[in-house]
Amino acid sequence: MAARQGGYILSHGGKNLTAALLAWQTTAPWGQGRPQFLAVATALLVVNTSTVHNSMIEAARRVAIQVAGVTLAVATAWWLGPTAGSIMAVLAIILAARGRRAFDDRLQVASTALLTLTAAAAVPVRDLALLALATVTGAIVGTAVHALILPPVHVSDSRTAVRRLARATSLLLCDMGRGLHKQQRTSHARVWLSRARQLEEEIAEAQDHVRLAEDSLRWNLRCSVHGPRRPGTGGHALLVLHGISLQVRGIARTLADTVDASQDDFRLGQLFTDQYARTLELAGQAVEDFAEVNRTADPEHTEADKRLRTALDQAQSWHDSMTELVAHGALTEPGAWHIYGSLVTDAKRLLSDLDRAGTSEPMTSVTPMPKSALTTRFPRF
């Protein structure tokens, strides 16, 4: 890891140095002084964006702000002159823009215009135009360097975050299973529910990493070299795990409710909890297998499918036997039939989601990645 970080620092520093030198040399023939420094600053700002796509957007935004600010200043100075009246006119524009969309960009435009007007009395208009041209030059240089020299790809961090989410979900399911085996439901149910709610934070972190990884693949020449197949970001696995977290929180909430129930006939029978514990442990293994296994090359793929199929068959057989007990009125704890049904349904739905998602590579990208699907947070149970 230290070697990887050292290599990243070296390559990133080289990109920054290259962008700064190119911007400096490009503006040297006509932009001695402040224009050169402005071009270098703009190039460094653009080359340090997280993705190539963002660098192009940021470059266009910076250029638009600078050009609009200088244009506003020149037009105001030509109309009113570089006096206090012109500055008040620009301040009025700032106040008029308040409360509207893109207020920050408009504020920067107005601020640029104010700075330009402040210097207009001592600086010729030609020099002000050179500042705008230097910004354009720096933006172009920064974008070109960012796109051509080791453009960033954040796929590794994305896949790691998704696997971390899968491991946290798997560990919770296995812990609930072991706790039920050891009859620790009363003392551990609230802890399980708290951990299930904390999965939301893991999901939010994974969402940010996947969104950044998907964005880093856009307009990226490193991906174009490898052909049409895009590297997997874990987007598909995240969407599946996002839905599975609902079932996990539902199971944890139902188990916590059984602890709070005052009626004796609402309590789960030991035979049920033992069978359910085994199902939760199998489900936990299946969740971890889903995110860890490479479905196209890993020789353990067949064994993981067998474990998932065993869990599915057990859940289905259990569901059929419970249905038969209810139909014949032979349920051991008839008052808890709704709790039995909720737990069995959540477990079966969790395993079915894994079964349907298991036919494809879990770490594939989701294109386009819908922002609403990634930013929506499920309500707490």
Side-chain angles (χ1 to χ4, degrees), residues 9-256:
I9 294 174
L10 183 61
S11 62
H12 192 67
K15 285 183 65 172
N16 279 269
L17 180 60
T18 301
L21 290 176
L22 286 176
W24 183 269
Q25 292 299 322
T26 303
T27 54
W30 49 266
Q32 295 289 339
R34 283 176 296 178
Q36 274 187 297
F37 287 104
L38 181 59
V40 171
T42 304
L44 291 176
L45 181 67
V46 172
V47 84
N48 280 283
T49 54
S50 57
T51 66
V52 175
H53 178 245
N54 284 342
S55 71
M56 295 183 180
I57 295 177
E58 181 66 20
R61 178 172 169 270
R62 288 290 167 181
V63 169
I65 288 174
Q66 186 73 18
V67 172
V70 172
T71 302
L72 177 61
V74 171
T76 306
W78 176 78
W79 182 38
L80 298 176
T83 61
S86 61
I87 296 177
M88 293 302 297
V90 175
L91 289 175
I93 295 175
I94 297 177
L95 295 177
R98 183 176 299 277
R100 299 181 181 179
R101 296 181 62 183
F103 172 70
D104 291 340
D105 289 348
R106 297 184 184 187
L107 182 61
Q108 291 189 45
V109 170
S111 300
T112 302
L114 283 175
L115 293 175
T116 304
L117 283 171
T118 303
V123 179
V125 175
R126 173 183 172 276
D127 291 344
L128 297 178
L130 287 180
L131 295 178
L133 182 59
T135 302
V136 175
T137 303
I140 293 175
V141 170
T143 302
V145 171
H146 201 40
L148 297 176
I149 301 178
L150 296 177
V153 177
H154 301 280
V155 170
S156 178
D157 293 339
S158 173
R159 295 164 70 101
T160 300
V162 171
R163 289 193 175 101
R164 185 164 55 245
L165 170 62
R167 283 193 293 270
T169 306
S170 171
L171 183 60
L172 176 56
L173 286 168
C174 292
D175 286 349
M176 287 193 293
R178 286 191 292 267
L180 290 178
H181 267 310
K182 298 178 181 179
Q183 301 182 10
Q184 297 174 336
R185 176 164 51 92
T186 302
S187 58
H188 288 64
R190 293 190 177 277
V191 177
W192 295 336
L193 179 57
S194 176
R195 289 173 58 186
R197 288 172 173 169
Q198 290 175 1
L199 287 177
E200 184 178 357
E201 299 178 3
E202 295 277 355
I203 291 172
E205 181 180 355
Q207 288 170 349
D208 293 338
H209 283 290
V210 169
R211 190 183 305 113
L212 179 61
E214 294 284 348
D215 192 59
S216 70
L217 299 180
R218 300 175 63 182
W219 305 344
N220 196 310
L221 294 179
R222 292 172 67 179
C223 300
S224 302
V225 172
H226 296 288
R229 178 174 175 80
R230 289 155 56 96
T233 61
H236 172 66
L238 175 59
L239 293 179
V240 175
L241 293 171
H242 209 170
I244 287 175
S245 67
L246 276 178
Q247 319 308 329
V248 175
R249 277 177 278 182
I251 292 171
R253 181 56 189 268
T254 303
L255 292 175

